[in-house]
Amino acid sequence: MEQIIIPPRNNGKYPYRYTYDDEGGIRNVERMSSIQEATEYSNSRSGLASRSTKSTLLWPFHHRNTSEVPSTTRSSRLGRFRSGTWNSRSILRSLDDTASIDQSLVPDYVINFMRGETPESLARKREERQWGERNVVITPRRDTLSSHLVELRNHFTSTTGLSRGDGSERSDLRRHFTGWRGGIVYNTLLTFLILVVGIISLILVVTKTKVFSGQLAIYTGGCATATRINIGVHVVINVFTVVLLAGANYVFQILTSPTRREVSKAHEKKQWLDIGVSSLRNLMHVSRFRAVIGAATLLIAIAIQVIYNAVIFFTQSTEDECAVSVNSSMLAIVALLNIVLVITMAVILTRSSFAPLATLGDAIRSFLRVPDHTTTEASLMTKVDLQRGRWGSDATKQCVPRNYYWLEAPSLSRWVLTILSWVAVGGPTAAAIALIAQASSEGVSTPFGTATPETIFSFPAPVDISQLALVAALPQLLLAILYLSTNALLTTYFLSHEFSLFALGPRSLRVSSNPAGTQTASLYLSLPRPISWLLLATFAALGFVLSQAVFPIVSFSTTTGQSTPQVAFSSQALLVLLVLLALVLFSVLALGVRRTPAPALADGSAAKGNPLALAGGVCSALISARCHASGDQGEFWLGPVAWGVVDVPEAGEERRGRCAFTGNAVRMLDPEREYA
């Protein structure tokens, strides 16, 4: 056992004697009756200098009168309080084990010392509390790229002394329900709920048909009622499939978001990566494990959308009698894929050290903490500079004032992919409408979700209903690709807009994990929730309309007793599908002609252009180039930051100005000046 005397708090009357075990844990805390007793105890215990017992200790940040407490020396054993292997959490947990110690008995300077605080860190925390921060997070700036945020939790409750380990447990739990981890948890839970519904449906079908690969008529009767049932089931199916696809896209975006080490490795080769958006480009630069899991998650979700829409089909025996049937083998495949999807979604949660640059704020925070040496002296670098190999000091030095529009944010390849995806769905739809208008006596007035003999076509080769149902559902594959490309295109719109706002005034960073200071963390990554939900609703409607525009049907002949699988078209559903596709295209283009907000210029000319507008993609190198802070400003990125001119040379100085992020006031850009 070791003992130590803690001086009185705030020059108070009574000191306290702490008894430690061999592991450094506090076994007992005892108030001593007076300073004299403490002095006598200390003197009686000190003895020879070779003794290793603890004596009365003067802690850092402690101020006392020299007449009140005698000077003391610190023993060699006390060195473990400052050693790198000593864990302050264990001391605090040991304090809690006494269960009877009042927080007021432990002086603040003792706790500060145990927690490794310095006067500078305490001053910064006081500033953070003015921002409204409650759980303080310290993000030390280090020289290595592998540095991570070090989170120092508050181990004390507000009223009842010392908290137990459940404080850290609550923080760990909260960590898994906020930021990108929370987004994956919620998407995984939704996927699991859809899986439960699918398994229950499969069990009901199997128990009715008594075979695993059979077909069950869930309704047999009039065509009107059968059509309504078919519509209702397909509404549910397409809501499910678009939720699964959106969740898989979220996970794919997280998995393909690069870490800082991966970005630095690419920049060393004068290559750049995408930040904050789903990216096929990043697949070649992230770890093989994440690339495989991410690609598998996305492909499984697309496959589920196709197969789920092949589960339900019509069986028509006469013009007035129809049956709605369920294919249990297809339903079983969907359930199996859904199980795999849940696993691939959740597996990344096991990587506790994974720290992706998933949002714009993540990238800005990382580049401000550890500047990227490959993009120094290039605060106005453009995408054209990168494409021509002009990195660093060879990049553009002057700001060219011109208007930027949102449609400039996506790269040319992303625009081409989106347009091709739209044409792949819209082109065949328009062609089918034209053919049906010529072939059908009713023109394009075929009721929604139904077909006439003129709009029912036999397959060229003999197939069973399962195969034909898959063929009829294949257009859902093209629709899924259109959703993914449209989502990524809109994401670049809003990423460029979010980045440009820092040139207009101070804003707090929006990060995907470990927020500190005034930083915020949200479940969404880049696309704002209202836009994301609107996109989900639109593509759920598109998927449903497509399922009613092209669908399998089994015609049963009462004379021959044979059934013939065929493909049916509904002209009204095709028209609605084409209208919705046009609405999606025009909405994306209309949003793209929105002008990027521009900051004022130093020469007094009309505000035009924004140097933070991301033209040609959300490029990691462009973000890095604008994140070289000047001077020692501390961890200013914990608070609101702005981008602008931070250094202007005096008259006669032959050097360039400087643009960067800062926590201080910024000056306006001068189009006539050069900036490093």
Side-chain angles (χ1 to χ4, degrees):
M1 294 289 182
E2 300 285 349
Q3 295 181 336
I4 185 172
I5 305 300
I6 302 297
R9 184 177 185 179
N10 298 329
N11 294 327
K13 182 178 180 181
Y14 300 108
Y16 291 87
R17 178 166 55 204
Y18 286 70
T19 303
Y20 298 83
D21 58 20
D22 293 336
E23 301 297 327
I26 295 178
R27 304 293 297 176
N28 184 49
V29 177
E30 178 184 2
R31 189 176 73 176
M32 306 190 73
S33 60
S34 65
I35 297 294
Q36 180 65 28
E37 180 182 340
T39 305
E40 293 174 356
Y41 177 84
S42 176
N43 292 335
S44 65
R45 296 283 292 171
S46 57
L48 298 175
S50 59
R51 281 181 171 247
S52 61
T53 55
K54 296 181 175 61
S55 60
T56 305
L57 178 66
L58 175 62
W59 296 93
F61 321 126
H62 178 232
H63 302 282
R64 56 175 172 80
N65 297 327
T66 56
S67 61
E68 181 176 348
V69 180
S71 62
T72 56
T73 58
R74 186 180 346 192
S75 66
S76 59
R77 284 290 297 274
L78 194 59
R80 64 182 171 183
F81 280 100
R82 288 193 178 271
S83 67
T85 59
W86 179 77
N87 188 354
S88 63
R89 293 173 182 258
S90 65
I91 290 292
L92 294 176
R93 291 194 187 100
S94 299
L95 283 171
D96 178 50
D97 291 339
T98 64
S100 61
I101 306 173
D102 194 331
Q103 179 182 349
S104 63
L105 300 183
V106 184
D108 290 340
Y109 51 83
V110 175
I111 300 303
N112 292 332
F113 179 78
M114 289 181 180
R115 294 170 64 184
E117 300 287 9
T118 64
E120 291 78 10
S121 66
L122 290 175
R124 178 172 59 78
K125 289 187 176 184
R126 284 194 295 271
E127 183 179 358
E128 290 176 359
R129 283 195 291 272
Q130 294 176 357
W131 296 337
E133 182 71 5
R134 293 297 180 265
N135 291 326
V136 177
V137 178
I138 298 178
T139 54
R141 182 168 181 168
R142 302 174 183 171
D143 294 330
T144 59
L145 297 180
S146 61
S147 61
H148 298 285
L149 295 175
V150 179
E151 189 169 0
L152 196 56
R153 296 291 183 184
N154 215 344
H155 289 269
F156 297 103
T157 62
S158 58
T159 57
T160 58
L162 305 174
S163 71
R164 298 193 64 86
D166 50 349
S168 61
E169 291 174 4
R170 286 195 300 270
S171 66
D172 291 339
L173 186 62
R174 183 165 55 249
R175 175 172 174 259
H176 281 85
F177 283 92
T178 57
W180 68 264
R181 290 183 178 275
I184 289 184
V185 168
Y186 291 131
N187 280 294
T188 304
L189 288 177
L190 286 175
T191 304
F192 180 75
L193 291 177
I194 294 173
L195 170 63
V196 171
V197 174
I199 291 177
I200 292 175
S201 301
L202 178 62
I203 293 174
L204 292 176
V205 172
V206 171
T207 54
K208 292 290 185 181
T209 59
K210 306 301 182 183
V211 291
F212 196 74
S213 60
Q215 299 171 4
L216 173 66
I218 59 177
Y219 173 80
T220 301
C223 286
T225 304
T227 300
R228 288 194 294 270
I229 293 175
N230 174 69
I231 288 175
V233 172
H234 273 98
V235 166
V236 175
I237 285 176
N238 283 279
V239 169
F240 282 0
T241 56
V242 78
V243 168
L244 295 178
L245 184 61
N249 184 53
Y250 185 99
V251 175
F252 179 80
Q253 184 172 334
I254 291 295
L255 292 172
T256 57
S257 294
T259 63
R260 177 59 193 275
R261 186 180 298 276
E262 290 163 347
V263 169
S264 299
K265 186 177 179 181
H267 287 186
E268 292 289 348
K269 301 176 182 178
K270 293 191 181 302
Q271 299 174 340
W272 63 88
L273 303 180
D274 292 325
I275 300 294
V277 62
S278 294
S279 172
L280 295 176
R281 178 189 186 91
N282 290 2
L283 280 176
M284 303 301 296
H285 297 272
V286 301
S287 70
R288 182 175 301 177
F289 170 79
R290 284 167 31 225
V292 170
I293 295 297
T297 300
L298 206 57
L299 291 175
I300 290 171
I302 294 174
I304 289 177
Q305 178 163 348
V306 174
I307 299 174
Y308 231 142
N309 277 279
V311 168
I312 302 292
F313 59 91
F314 278 126
T315 302
Q316 188 169 2
S317 56
T318 65
E319 290 187 2
D320 297 327
E321 188 176 72
C322 186
V324 181
S325 301
V326 179
N327 191 319
S328 60
S329 59
M330 290 293 179
L331 195 56
I333 294 174
V334 167
L336 180 61
L337 290 176
N338 209 331
I339 292 174
V340 178
L341 186 60
V342 170
I343 296 173
T344 57
M345 279 185 169
V347 69
I348 193 60
L349 294 175
T350 63
R351 299 294 182 96
S352 59
S353 62
F354 177 48
L357 304 182
T359 66
L360 194 61
D362 291 339
I364 295 173
R365 178 175 65 180
S366 177
F367 290 129
L368 289 177
R369 290 177 63 231
V370 185
D372 181 8
H373 70 91
T374 66
T375 58
T376 55
E377 304 295 322
S379 59
L380 296 178
M381 185 166 63
T382 65
K383 187 69 174 288
V384 175
D385 290 329
L386 297 177
Q387 293 169 339
R388 295 179 179 178
R390 297 198 298 256
W391 286 62
S393 58
D394 296 330
T396 300
K397 302 300 180 184
Q398 284 184 290
C399 174
V400 179
R402 72 173 184 86
N403 289 324
Y404 286 91
Y405 296 91
W406 283 28
L407 54 80
E408 297 181 61
S411 62
L412 178 61
S413 59
R414 202 172 289 281
W415 269 113
V416 170
L417 177 61
T418 304
I419 296 298
L420 289 178
S421 302
W422 190 93
V423 171
V425 181
T429 301
I433 292 174
L435 292 175
I436 290 175
Q438 295 179 356
S440 176
S441 58
E442 299 182 8
V444 293
S445 60
T446 307
F448 187 89
T450 61
T452 62
E454 293 91 350
T455 60
I456 297 177
F457 302 92
S458 298
F459 204 71
V463 292
D464 60 26
I465 184 57
S466 298
Q467 296 171 331
L468 189 62
L470 275 178
V471 171
L474 278 179
Q476 296 283 347
L477 170 64
L478 301 176
L479 198 61
I481 296 174
L482 179 60
Y483 168 80
L484 296 174
S485 59
T486 304
N487 184 292
L489 190 78
L490 292 176
T491 296
T492 56
Y493 277 2
F494 286 93
L495 279 171
S496 178
H497 176 68
E498 182 179 0
F499 199 39
S500 67
L501 293 179
F502 287 101
L504 304 181
R507 296 174 59 85
S508 297
L509 297 180
R510 187 179 59 82
V511 297
S512 67
S513 62
N514 297 325
T518 63
Q519 295 170 356
T520 59
S522 58
L523 295 181
Y524 81 92
L525 298 178
S526 303
L527 198 61
R529 285 196 189 97
I531 302 298
S532 180
W533 292 339
L534 180 60
L535 195 65
L536 281 174
T538 301
F539 274 85
L542 280 168
F544 162 69
V545 173
L546 180 57
S547 70
Q548 302 303 297
V550 185
F551 52 90
I553 187 171
V554 178
S555 299
F556 183 79
S557 174
T558 56
T559 57
T560 61
Q562 294 182 344
S563 59
T564 306
Q566 296 174 305
V567 177
F569 294 85
S570 171
S571 56
Q572 282 191 2
L574 288 170
L575 279 174
V576 174
L577 178 64
L578 190 60
V579 169
L580 288 176
L581 288 171
L583 182 63
V584 170
L585 179 62
F586 291 139
S587 298
V588 171
L589 294 176
L591 195 60
V593 298
R594 184 177 176 182
R595 185 180 300 176
T596 301
L601 298 175
D603 59 5
S605 60
K608 182 184 290 186
N610 191 313
L612 292 187
L614 296 171
V618 189
C619 173
S620 59
L622 294 184
I623 300 172
S624 167
R626 285 154 174 78
C627 294
H628 291 274
S630 61
D632 185 9
Q633 304 178 55
E635 298 172 328
F636 69 91
W637 54 85
L638 297 177
V641 297
W643 188 92
V645 178
V646 296
D647 183 22
V648 178
E650 299 293 337
E653 286 188 280
E654 295 183 357
R655 63 183 182 89
R656 299 186 177 98
R658 186 179 180 85
C659 298
F661 276 96
T662 179
N664 302 321
V666 296
R667 301 183 184 183
M668 294 179 286
L669 277 169
D670 187 346
E672 302 299 324
R673 285 184 177 271
E674 289 189 349
Y675 297 94

